[in-house]
Amino acid sequence: MLTLDKIYHASFTLKKYIRPTDLIHAPKICPDSEIYLKTENLQITGSFKVRGACYKISQLTEEERSKGVIACSAGNHAQGVAMAAAINNIKALICLPDGAPISKVEATKSYGAEVCLVEGGYDEAYAKALELQAERGYTFIHPFDDDDVIAGQGTIGLELFESLPDMDAVIVPIGGGGLISGIAYVIKSLKPDVKVYGVQASGAPSMKTSLKEKKVCCLSHANTIADGIAVKQPGEITFDLCSKYVDEIVTVTEDEISTAILTLIEQQKLIAEGAGAVAVAAAMFGKLPIKGKKVVCLISGGNIDVTILSRIIKRGLLTSGRSCSLNIELIDKPGQLKGVSQIIADCGGNVISIHHERSNEGSDINGCFLRIELETRNYEHILEIRKALTEGGFKLQD
């Protein structure tokens, strides 16, 4: 069973495995609230998952260790298990989705673990891990539905009280629910009036759906850029703990996650993966009643591929009004491009690309279309440029 004694024991045990992560004040994230960031993205292996994995493996019997360990993961638990297994000289096999970020796959291999890529997502990797466990007799290290794993994650709750004892609320990402279960158990046991809020991606709301239906539910699919929390079905243990101790669960969209990642880069100089940024997204976009409150947002991980990061930054720039595309219908004659460019320059916009296309069938025979990609300051700036172009006699296509 999960107890405070077990979580305190986990905190003591983990001191030789993990590094302390800072709690950073972030006043610009949500001006109406006093926001702090718990930076588990700066943890060893780049994620909180190493806590639960290391504590679980430290509690294995000699017989369980001798069999070797097997785990399934979207990537972060994999690295935690691989690292803990390497430290303890235990053979490890990790089942990962074949679409897992390359950085997570390679990092797992770097600790000496054997990797089995499985077609599909986390849930398919889980099924494969159970199949291999039955065949080869490995000891299974569950990524979230295990008391020892939950106790390891719960050590974050103890650290939050040490760093910010007067906090009003904590916002935590949810995939399978191990992280929030541990933190919520600690917080509600020590200071019940502190609110514990969970956040899921709108494309993978398995725990939110389960709590609404009052039973563990399995989604037909889980699709989100937050691969670390793309879980179709929460655990039985985590469902019970969330039912008892979590105050509310909300969801955030892909655009909101992308904007949060970009905001963390620009304002805090922190790299967060999709799952790691959902708590910040919930705070930024007013999903929770935290106005005037002292709130901790947990940045659960920072393991993100550079290629994916590039796409997310582009998405974040679009959704925050930092870039835009304008389609302009013109008469094809000299000086038109100069006129458009001059207006944009006068408004302070920066043109980064232009595509010129002759008119299509059914349009003016002397017409053409101009597609312009711009760097802008915000949505108000975009409206200013559109207004100036319209007043200058240019026809914008919506």
Side-chain angles (χ1 to χ4, degrees):
M1 287 182 61
L2 185 66
T3 64
L4 273 179
D5 282 346
K6 183 186 282 287
I7 295 172
Y8 276 109
H9 181 258
S11 180
F12 175 79
T13 302
L14 290 174
K15 290 185 185 299
K16 63 182 178 181
Y17 293 110
I18 67 171
R19 66 165 64 112
T21 54
D22 291 329
L23 191 67
I24 299 173
H25 186 213
K28 295 181 181 179
I29 293 291
C30 184
D32 291 335
S33 306
E34 191 175 340
I35 300 293
Y36 293 82
L37 306 175
K38 178 60 170 172
T39 53
E40 283 295 293
N41 58 316
L42 303 180
Q43 185 55 264
I44 293 174
T45 75
S47 164
F48 76 93
K49 286 283 192 179
V50 68
R51 294 173 181 262
C54 282
Y55 184 61
K56 174 63 179 178
I57 288 178
S58 75
Q59 301 305 295
L60 296 180
T61 64
E62 285 303 319
E63 181 182 357
E64 288 170 328
R65 290 170 180 239
S66 67
K67 294 177 180 178
V69 296
I70 188 168
C72 59
S73 171
N76 288 332
H77 180 62
Q79 293 176 64
V81 171
M83 189 194 90
I87 291 172
N88 290 277
N89 296 313
I90 299 171
K91 180 182 178 181
L93 172 61
I94 314 293
C95 294
L96 290 166
D98 58 356
I102 295 170
S103 59
K104 294 183 178 181
V105 175
E106 293 304 313
T108 302
K109 290 179 179 178
S110 73
Y111 290 108
E114 181 185 350
V115 171
C116 173
L117 294 178
V118 182
E119 185 176 352
Y122 162 77
D123 295 272
E124 288 74 20
Y126 174 66
K128 183 65 175 179
L130 292 180
E131 177 188 325
L132 292 173
Q133 179 201 22
E135 287 178 5
R136 306 180 189 179
Y138 287 105
T139 299
F140 185 63
I141 310 296
H142 201 288
F144 50 82
D145 209 32
D146 180 280
D147 286 332
D148 287 337
V149 170
I150 294 169
Q153 324 305 25
T155 58
I156 294 173
L158 298 177
E159 292 174 14
L160 293 181
F161 277 124
E162 291 175 4
S163 302
L164 196 69
D166 60 340
M167 62 183 168
D168 298 306
V170 58
I171 308 176
V172 186
I174 302 179
L179 176 62
I180 196 169
S181 292
I183 291 174
Y185 183 86
V186 169
I187 287 176
K188 294 300 185 180
S189 297
L190 298 178
K191 195 174 180 182
D193 59 328
V194 175
K195 297 293 185 182
V196 180
Y197 299 120
V199 189
Q200 294 199 286
S202 58
S206 56
M207 185 67 81
K208 181 177 174 66
T209 301
S210 296
L211 292 182
K212 181 180 178 181
E213 297 296 325
K214 295 182 170 54
K215 63 179 182 180
V216 175
C217 297
C218 182
L219 304 177
S220 60
H221 64 278
N223 184 26
T224 172
I225 57 172
D227 60 281
I229 54 173
V231 178
K232 294 179 186 176
Q233 181 175 323
E236 296 285 347
I237 298 171
T238 58
F239 170 77
D240 288 340
L241 289 168
C242 286
S243 299
K244 293 175 184 176
Y245 301 116
V246 175
D247 292 287
E248 184 180 354
I249 297 176
V250 298
T251 60
V252 288
T253 66
E254 303 294 273
D255 285 343
E256 289 165 346
I257 295 170
S258 298
T259 302
I261 291 173
L262 181 62
T263 300
L264 286 168
I265 292 172
E266 286 200 312
Q267 294 186 7
Q268 302 301 140
K269 317 309 175 194
L270 293 171
I271 299 293
E273 59 186 277
V278 296
V280 171
M284 286 178 61
F285 290 94
K287 305 282 181 164
L288 293 163
I290 58 172
K291 186 175 181 179
K293 304 294 185 181
K294 189 175 288 188
V295 181
V296 175
C297 291
L298 187 69
I299 305 179
S300 58
N303 295 316
I304 186 169
D305 275 340
V306 175
T307 51
I308 296 173
L309 181 60
S310 175
R311 294 176 209 156
I312 289 175
I313 289 174
K314 185 175 182 180
R315 182 84 165 260
L317 289 172
L318 286 169
T319 56
S320 61
R322 298 285 300 282
S323 68
C324 74
S325 297
L326 298 177
N327 293 301
I328 306 171
E329 185 176 350
L330 301 172
I331 299 299
D332 195 4
K333 65 178 184 179
Q336 292 286 82
L337 178 57
K338 179 182 178 182
V340 170
S341 300
Q342 189 62 57
I343 290 172
I344 292 172
D346 290 344
C347 292
N350 183 42
V351 176
I352 55 177
S353 73
I354 294 177
H355 177 70
H356 177 275
E357 185 178 302
R358 296 285 181 178
S359 58
N360 299 318
E361 182 180 352
S363 61
D364 192 316
I365 196 168
N366 291 318
C368 66
F369 293 92
L370 200 65
R371 179 180 176 85
I372 302 180
E373 303 283 339
L374 297 174
E375 290 179 338
T376 48
R377 292 189 295 272
N378 48 41
Y379 282 116
E380 290 75 18
H381 191 205
I382 294 172
L383 292 175
E384 177 190 342
I385 292 171
R386 291 180 67 91
K387 181 181 178 183
L389 287 168
T390 301
E391 290 176 350
F394 296 103
K395 184 178 179 181
L396 274 70
Q397 302 291 314
D398 292 330

mmCIF file with all atom_site columns, all heavy atoms in Angstrom, residues 330-343:
data_model
loop_
_atom_site.group_PDB
_atom_site.id
_atom_site.type_symbol
_atom_site.label_atom_id
_atom_site.label_alt_id
_atom_site.label_comp_id
_atom_site.label_asym_id
_atom_site.label_entity_id
_atom_site.label_seq_id
_atom_site.pdbx_PDB_ins_code
_atom_site.Cartn_x
_atom_site.Cartn_y
_atom_site.Cartn_z
_atom_site.occupancy
_atom_site.B_iso_or_equiv
_atom_site.pdbx_formal_charge
_atom_site.auth_seq_id
_atom_site.auth_comp_id
_atom_site.auth_asym_id
_atom_site.auth_atom_id
_atom_site.pdbx_PDB_model_num
ATOM 1   N N   . LEU A 1 330 ? -3.858 40.598 -56.688 1.00 0.00 ? 330 LEU A N   1
ATOM 2   C CA  . LEU A 1 330 ? -3.283 41.792 -57.321 1.00 0.00 ? 330 LEU A CA  1
ATOM 3   C C   . LEU A 1 330 ? -3.580 41.831 -58.813 1.00 0.00 ? 330 LEU A C   1
ATOM 4   O O   . LEU A 1 330 ? -3.887 40.811 -59.429 1.00 0.00 ? 330 LEU A O   1
ATOM 5   C CB  . LEU A 1 330 ? -1.755 41.802 -57.145 1.00 0.00 ? 330 LEU A CB  1
ATOM 6   C CG  . LEU A 1 330 ? -1.169 41.800 -55.730 1.00 0.00 ? 330 LEU A CG  1
ATOM 7   C CD1 . LEU A 1 330 ? 0.329  41.606 -55.805 1.00 0.00 ? 330 LEU A CD1 1
ATOM 8   C CD2 . LEU A 1 330 ? -1.505 43.094 -55.015 1.00 0.00 ? 330 LEU A CD2 1
ATOM 9   N N   . ILE A 1 331 ? -3.457 43.037 -59.387 1.00 0.00 ? 331 ILE A N   1
ATOM 10  C CA  . ILE A 1 331 ? -3.368 43.181 -60.835 1.00 0.00 ? 331 ILE A CA  1
ATOM 11  C C   . ILE A 1 331 ? -1.902 43.028 -61.205 1.00 0.00 ? 331 ILE A C   1
ATOM 12  O O   . ILE A 1 331 ? -1.029 43.655 -60.609 1.00 0.00 ? 331 ILE A O   1
ATOM 13  C CB  . ILE A 1 331 ? -3.892 44.555 -61.297 1.00 0.00 ? 331 ILE A CB  1
ATOM 14  C CG1 . ILE A 1 331 ? -5.363 44.708 -60.912 1.00 0.00 ? 331 ILE A CG1 1
ATOM 15  C CG2 . ILE A 1 331 ? -3.709 44.720 -62.812 1.00 0.00 ? 331 ILE A CG2 1
ATOM 16  C CD1 . ILE A 1 331 ? -6.276 43.687 -61.546 1.00 0.00 ? 331 ILE A CD1 1
ATOM 17  N N   . ASP A 1 332 ? -1.627 42.183 -62.172 1.00 0.00 ? 332 ASP A N   1
ATOM 18  C CA  . ASP A 1 332 ? -0.240 41.855 -62.500 1.00 0.00 ? 332 ASP A CA  1
ATOM 19  C C   . ASP A 1 332 ? 0.388  42.964 -63.327 1.00 0.00 ? 332 ASP A C   1
ATOM 20  O O   . ASP A 1 332 ? 0.367  42.958 -64.564 1.00 0.00 ? 332 ASP A O   1
ATOM 21  C CB  . ASP A 1 332 ? -0.203 40.529 -63.269 1.00 0.00 ? 332 ASP A CB  1
ATOM 22  C CG  . ASP A 1 332 ? 1.209  39.949 -63.313 1.00 0.00 ? 332 ASP A CG  1
ATOM 23  O OD1 . ASP A 1 332 ? 2.102  40.550 -62.693 1.00 0.00 ? 332 ASP A OD1 1
ATOM 24  O OD2 . ASP A 1 332 ? 1.392  38.912 -63.952 1.00 0.00 ? 332 ASP A OD2 1
ATOM 25  N N   . LYS A 1 333 ? 0.968  43.947 -62.614 1.00 0.00 ? 333 LYS A N   1
ATOM 26  C CA  . LYS A 1 333 ? 1.644  45.055 -63.283 1.00 0.00 ? 333 LYS A CA  1
ATOM 27  C C   . LYS A 1 333 ? 2.812  45.521 -62.430 1.00 0.00 ? 333 LYS A C   1
ATOM 28  O O   . LYS A 1 333 ? 2.851  45.249 -61.219 1.00 0.00 ? 333 LYS A O   1
ATOM 29  C CB  . LYS A 1 333 ? 0.667  46.199 -63.526 1.00 0.00 ? 333 LYS A CB  1
ATOM 30  C CG  . LYS A 1 333 ? 0.137  46.856 -62.253 1.00 0.00 ? 333 LYS A CG  1
ATOM 31  C CD  . LYS A 1 333 ? -0.798 48.026 -62.585 1.00 0.00 ? 333 LYS A CD  1
ATOM 32  C CE  . LYS A 1 333 ? -1.248 48.739 -61.308 1.00 0.00 ? 333 LYS A CE  1
ATOM 33  N NZ  . LYS A 1 333 ? -2.137 49.878 -61.619 1.00 0.00 ? 333 LYS A NZ  1
ATOM 34  N N   . PRO A 1 334 ? 3.781  46.205 -63.026 1.00 0.00 ? 334 PRO A N   1
ATOM 35  C CA  . PRO A 1 334 ? 4.959  46.645 -62.276 1.00 0.00 ? 334 PRO A CA  1
ATOM 36  C C   . PRO A 1 334 ? 4.595  47.522 -61.079 1.00 0.00 ? 334 PRO A C   1
ATOM 37  O O   . PRO A 1 334 ? 3.672  48.337 -61.161 1.00 0.00 ? 334 PRO A O   1
ATOM 38  C CB  . PRO A 1 334 ? 5.772  47.429 -63.316 1.00 0.00 ? 334 PRO A CB  1
ATOM 39  C CG  . PRO A 1 334 ? 5.340  46.869 -64.623 1.00 0.00 ? 334 PRO A CG  1
ATOM 40  C CD  . PRO A 1 334 ? 3.891  46.536 -64.465 1.00 0.00 ? 334 PRO A CD  1
ATOM 41  N N   . GLY A 1 335 ? 5.315  47.342 -59.981 1.00 0.00 ? 335 GLY A N   1
ATOM 42  C CA  . GLY A 1 335 ? 5.149  48.195 -58.811 1.00 0.00 ? 335 GLY A CA  1
ATOM 43  C C   . GLY A 1 335 ? 4.221  47.656 -57.741 1.00 0.00 ? 335 GLY A C   1
ATOM 44  O O   . GLY A 1 335 ? 4.184  48.189 -56.625 1.00 0.00 ? 335 GLY A O   1
ATOM 45  N N   . GLN A 1 336 ? 3.460  46.608 -58.050 1.00 0.00 ? 336 GLN A N   1
ATOM 46  C CA  . GLN A 1 336 ? 2.517  46.086 -57.074 1.00 0.00 ? 336 GLN A CA  1
ATOM 47  C C   . GLN A 1 336 ? 3.226  45.493 -55.848 1.00 0.00 ? 336 GLN A C   1
ATOM 48  O O   . GLN A 1 336 ? 2.836  45.758 -54.716 1.00 0.00 ? 336 GLN A O   1
ATOM 49  C CB  . GLN A 1 336 ? 1.631  45.009 -57.718 1.00 0.00 ? 336 GLN A CB  1
ATOM 50  C CG  . GLN A 1 336 ? 0.664  45.542 -58.759 1.00 0.00 ? 336 GLN A CG  1
ATOM 51  C CD  . GLN A 1 336 ? -0.492 46.294 -58.142 1.00 0.00 ? 336 GLN A CD  1
ATOM 52  O OE1 . GLN A 1 336 ? -0.374 47.472 -57.805 1.00 0.00 ? 336 GLN A OE1 1
ATOM 53  N NE2 . GLN A 1 336 ? -1.605 45.620 -57.986 1.00 0.00 ? 336 GLN A NE2 1
ATOM 54  N N   . LEU A 1 337 ? 4.248  44.688 -56.096 1.00 0.00 ? 337 LEU A N   1
ATOM 55  C CA  . LEU A 1 337 ? 4.981  44.074 -54.994 1.00 0.00 ? 337 LEU A CA  1
ATOM 56  C C   . LEU A 1 337 ? 5.661  45.132 -54.131 1.00 0.00 ? 337 LEU A C   1
ATOM 57  O O   . LEU A 1 337 ? 5.691  45.031 -52.902 1.00 0.00 ? 337 LEU A O   1
ATOM 58  C CB  . LEU A 1 337 ? 6.016  43.089 -55.541 1.00 0.00 ? 337 LEU A CB  1
ATOM 59  C CG  . LEU A 1 337 ? 6.902  42.388 -54.505 1.00 0.00 ? 337 LEU A CG  1
ATOM 60  C CD1 . LEU A 1 337 ? 6.062  41.641 -53.478 1.00 0.00 ? 337 LEU A CD1 1
ATOM 61  C CD2 . LEU A 1 337 ? 7.877  41.427 -55.199 1.00 0.00 ? 337 LEU A CD2 1
ATOM 62  N N   . LYS A 1 338 ? 6.181  46.168 -54.798 1.00 0.00 ? 338 LYS A N   1
ATOM 63  C CA  . LYS A 1 338 ? 6.826  47.255 -54.060 1.00 0.00 ? 338 LYS A CA  1
ATOM 64  C C   . LYS A 1 338 ? 5.834  47.931 -53.120 1.00 0.00 ? 338 LYS A C   1
ATOM 65  O O   . LYS A 1 338 ? 6.152  48.235 -51.967 1.00 0.00 ? 338 LYS A O   1
ATOM 66  C CB  . LYS A 1 338 ? 7.403  48.279 -55.043 1.00 0.00 ? 338 LYS A CB  1
ATOM 67  C CG  . LYS A 1 338 ? 8.069  49.473 -54.373 1.00 0.00 ? 338 LYS A CG  1
ATOM 68  C CD  . LYS A 1 338 ? 8.578  50.466 -55.404 1.00 0.00 ? 338 LYS A CD  1
ATOM 69  C CE  . LYS A 1 338 ? 9.198  51.684 -54.712 1.00 0.00 ? 338 LYS A CE  1
ATOM 70  N NZ  . LYS A 1 338 ? 9.666  52.685 -55.703 1.00 0.00 ? 338 LYS A NZ  1
ATOM 71  N N   . GLY A 1 339 ? 4.617  48.139 -53.625 1.00 0.00 ? 339 GLY A N   1
ATOM 72  C CA  . GLY A 1 339 ? 3.600  48.800 -52.806 1.00 0.00 ? 339 GLY A CA  1
ATOM 73  C C   . GLY A 1 339 ? 3.233  47.975 -51.580 1.00 0.00 ? 339 GLY A C   1
ATOM 74  O O   . GLY A 1 339 ? 3.120  48.504 -50.463 1.00 0.00 ? 339 GLY A O   1
ATOM 75  N N   . VAL A 1 340 ? 3.044  46.675 -51.791 1.00 0.00 ? 340 VAL A N   1
ATOM 76  C CA  . VAL A 1 340 ? 2.715  45.785 -50.677 1.00 0.00 ? 340 VAL A CA  1
ATOM 77  C C   . VAL A 1 340 ? 3.853  45.764 -49.656 1.00 0.00 ? 340 VAL A C   1
ATOM 78  O O   . VAL A 1 340 ? 3.638  45.895 -48.442 1.00 0.00 ? 340 VAL A O   1
ATOM 79  C CB  . VAL A 1 340 ? 2.434  44.358 -51.193 1.00 0.00 ? 340 VAL A CB  1
ATOM 80  C CG1 . VAL A 1 340 ? 2.340  43.380 -50.028 1.00 0.00 ? 340 VAL A CG1 1
ATOM 81  C CG2 . VAL A 1 340 ? 1.162  44.321 -52.019 1.00 0.00 ? 340 VAL A CG2 1
ATOM 82  N N   . SER A 1 341 ? 5.083  45.616 -50.136 1.00 0.00 ? 341 SER A N   1
ATOM 83  C CA  . SER A 1 341 ? 6.246  45.547 -49.253 1.00 0.00 ? 341 SER A CA  1
ATOM 84  C C   . SER A 1 341 ? 6.416  46.826 -48.442 1.00 0.00 ? 341 SER A C   1
ATOM 85  O O   . SER A 1 341 ? 6.781  46.781 -47.257 1.00 0.00 ? 341 SER A O   1
ATOM 86  C CB  . SER A 1 341 ? 7.519  45.278 -50.070 1.00 0.00 ? 341 SER A CB  1
ATOM 87  O OG  . SER A 1 341 ? 7.414  44.060 -50.763 1.00 0.00 ? 341 SER A OG  1
ATOM 88  N N   . GLN A 1 342 ? 6.161  47.968 -49.090 1.00 0.00 ? 342 GLN A N   1
ATOM 89  C CA  . GLN A 1 342 ? 6.322  49.244 -48.393 1.00 0.00 ? 342 GLN A CA  1
ATOM 90  C C   . GLN A 1 342 ? 5.342  49.385 -47.236 1.00 0.00 ? 342 GLN A C   1
ATOM 91  O O   . GLN A 1 342 ? 5.702  49.827 -46.138 1.00 0.00 ? 342 GLN A O   1
ATOM 92  C CB  . GLN A 1 342 ? 6.131  50.404 -49.372 1.00 0.00 ? 342 GLN A CB  1
ATOM 93  C CG  . GLN A 1 342 ? 6.482  51.772 -48.783 1.00 0.00 ? 342 GLN A CG  1
ATOM 94  C CD  . GLN A 1 342 ? 7.949  51.862 -48.386 1.00 0.00 ? 342 GLN A CD  1
ATOM 95  O OE1 . GLN A 1 342 ? 8.835  51.662 -49.211 1.00 0.00 ? 342 GLN A OE1 1
ATOM 96  N NE2 . GLN A 1 342 ? 8.205  52.141 -47.111 1.00 0.00 ? 342 GLN A NE2 1
ATOM 97  N N   . ILE A 1 343 ? 4.094  48.985 -47.474 1.00 0.00 ? 343 ILE A N   1
ATOM 98  C CA  . ILE A 1 343 ? 3.082  49.075 -46.416 1.00 0.00 ? 343 ILE A CA  1
ATOM 99  C C   . ILE A 1 343 ? 3.457  48.166 -45.240 1.00 0.00 ? 343 ILE A C   1
ATOM 100 O O   . ILE A 1 343 ? 3.377  48.560 -44.075 1.00 0.00 ? 343 ILE A O   1
ATOM 101 C CB  . ILE A 1 343 ? 1.691  48.704 -46.970 1.00 0.00 ? 343 ILE A CB  1
ATOM 102 C CG1 . ILE A 1 343 ? 1.206  49.807 -47.915 1.00 0.00 ? 343 ILE A CG1 1
ATOM 103 C CG2 . ILE A 1 343 ? 0.691  48.490 -45.833 1.00 0.00 ? 343 ILE A CG2 1
ATOM 104 C CD1 . ILE A 1 343 ? -0.059 49.464 -48.655 1.00 0.00 ? 343 ILE A CD1 1
#
